[in-house]
Amino acid sequence: MTLLCAPVRDEAIQKLEAITDPVQLLRGIFRVLGLMKVDMVNYTIQSFRPYLQEHSIQYEQAKFQELLDKQPSLLDYTTKWLTKAATDITTPCPSSPESPSSSRSVACSLPNGAGNNSEPPSPTMVLYQGYLNLLLWDPENEEFPETLLMDRTRLQEMAFQLHQLTVLASVLLVARSFSGEILFSSSEFVDRLKCITKALTEEFISRPEETMLSVSEQVSQEIHQGLKDMGLTTLSSENTASLLGQLQNITKKENCIRSIVDQRIRLFLKCCLLHGMQESLLHFPGGLILIERELAELGWKFLNLMHHNQQVGQW
């Protein structure tokens, strides 16, 4: 077992050598053997993953080509999608800030975007802008790009997660501005506040006012109790009322905190596409540190899905 196991199991096998009772020793041996079996399965999957991905790409390309041969006009929606992305990049940026849901607000802040130079945008920049636009896609719009139909459900789930992270980060920023850095230096308190906010904002899209009313009341209670437990001065009635009002104001799309958070999240996702995940994490957007883990998870999923589509479509 020592010769065959992964290095991570060395400690477990060393403990087996110290067991003298035969029954306990056999139980320990079979337990470690079970772990070694799982290690071997994981190693086999990891070894075959590149070949499976390559086969998946080839299979999807072949199937899509069959459809394209039967329906030459199959890429009409894809053409519209990419044309819209190119327009977002090349149209001059307005002097006034836009809605947080606008694809133009992201395009204007990117390299090779409008206003930077007179040269046309590169095909890669157009494609990446198109990918970001998919996170703003109206679920009722049937003109979804044909090349991404298989990924539509996953993209809609990512769009929901992005929306929820925007609200979560906005709530945390407002809460921190009222409670101070001391309370938010406690990872236990922050994790609890995040867990509560996530649970309460599941239905934010369908019932924003009711949702934020519940969130504001619960967050206010948590801050009051947290300050009290730390022996700090609790919020006055005036500050509490202001906290409740600012939290409930997040329901408005033009809310300045929500607008800035939304734009920075989308810029982070664009940077993931342009520069890779590792470099993007080194330059994490200011104000979003409290949701770094959740945003990094979303970034990995979005990056992997889009790169897979890029390989399938040979963009």
Side-chain angles (χ1 to χ4, degrees):
M1 290 171 67
T2 302
L3 293 173
L4 294 174
C5 74
V8 72
R9 306 300 173 198
D10 287 344
E11 184 179 353
I13 292 179
Q14 289 174 5
K15 291 180 180 179
L16 291 178
E17 295 175 351
I19 300 176
T20 56
D21 180 56
V23 176
Q24 295 298 326
L25 179 59
L26 283 172
R27 285 178 177 172
I29 287 174
F30 282 112
R31 184 184 67 83
V32 177
L33 282 174
L35 295 174
M36 290 172 61
K37 184 178 180 180
V38 173
D39 292 338
M40 184 59 70
V41 171
N42 288 334
Y43 172 77
T44 303
I45 293 174
Q46 185 177 4
S47 300
F48 278 103
R49 181 170 294 169
Y51 303 102
L52 293 173
Q53 289 178 337
E54 183 180 355
H55 178 74
S56 172
I57 291 170
Q58 293 174 350
Y59 176 79
E60 289 186 38
Q61 288 175 344
K63 287 298 180 182
F64 193 81
Q65 187 62 48
E66 289 180 12
L67 293 174
L68 193 59
D69 291 339
K70 296 177 182 178
Q71 304 178 46
S73 62
L74 187 63
L75 295 178
D76 287 352
Y77 294 158
T78 300
T79 303
K80 290 182 180 180
W81 165 60
L82 291 175
T83 302
K84 170 67 166 57
T87 302
D88 289 339
I89 295 178
T90 55
T91 303
C93 300
S95 57
S96 59
E98 299 191 30
S99 163
S101 62
S102 172
S103 56
R104 292 288 302 118
S105 60
V106 178
C108 289
S109 305
L110 297 170
N112 202 23
N116 290 338
N117 52 58
S118 58
E119 297 180 4
S122 68
T124 301
M125 288 298 298
V126 173
L127 181 62
Y128 287 167
Q129 180 62 39
Y131 284 153
L132 274 183
N133 289 353
L134 293 173
L135 296 176
L136 300 168
W137 203 270
D138 182 3
E140 302 299 325
N141 189 349
E142 296 298 328
E143 296 186 358
F144 199 81
E146 297 89 347
T147 51
L148 284 142
L149 281 175
M150 293 180 64
D151 303 318
R152 183 170 188 173
T153 301
R154 280 179 287 182
L155 283 166
Q156 288 177 344
E157 291 174 356
M158 291 181 194
F160 174 79
Q161 292 174 18
L162 187 149
H163 196 276
Q164 191 177 42
L165 283 181
T166 300
V167 175
L168 173 62
S170 302
V171 169
L172 293 175
L173 286 173
V174 171
R176 186 172 64 178
S177 68
F178 279 86
S179 57
E181 294 295 334
I182 297 179
L183 186 57
F184 268 73
S185 63
S186 168
S187 58
E188 182 180 351
F189 174 80
V190 174
D191 289 341
R192 175 174 172 78
L193 207 59
K194 286 163 68 172
C195 184
I196 291 172
T197 305
K198 285 179 185 177
L200 293 176
T201 53
E202 286 289 335
E203 299 182 1
F204 179 86
I205 296 178
S206 59
R207 299 186 304 161
E209 287 80 12
E210 295 177 36
T211 297
M212 289 311 300
L213 179 61
S214 301
V215 169
S216 61
E217 293 174 351
Q218 190 64 42
V219 168
S220 176
Q221 292 177 17
E222 292 296 327
I223 291 177
H224 178 83
Q225 189 61 45
L227 292 172
K228 186 177 179 181
D229 292 341
M230 285 188 166
L232 302 172
T233 305
T234 57
L235 298 180
S236 64
S237 56
E238 183 179 347
N239 284 338
T240 300
S242 181
L243 170 63
L244 293 172
Q246 289 196 32
L247 288 173
Q248 292 171 27
N249 197 43
I250 293 175
T251 57
K252 301 177 181 178
K253 290 184 177 181
E254 64 272 15
N255 178 268
C256 59
I257 295 177
R258 179 177 167 185
S259 300
I260 293 172
V261 168
D262 182 89
Q263 186 175 22
R264 288 185 178 180
I265 289 177
R266 296 181 191 280
L267 285 172
F268 172 76
L269 294 177
K270 185 78 173 215
C271 287
C272 291
L273 291 171
L274 288 171
H275 308 296
M277 195 67 187
Q278 296 300 334
E279 185 175 343
S280 299
L281 289 174
L282 293 176
H283 306 284
F284 203 77
L288 301 182
I289 297 300
L290 294 173
I291 61 165
E292 181 176 6
R293 183 177 68 253
E294 293 83 359
L295 185 53
E297 180 182 347
L298 175 62
W300 275 116
K301 290 195 293 186
F302 183 68
L303 184 64
N304 290 334
L305 183 61
M306 296 303 95
H307 277 180
H308 177 76
N309 174 266
Q310 197 170 359
Q311 289 178 299
V312 172
Q314 297 181 332
W315 299 103

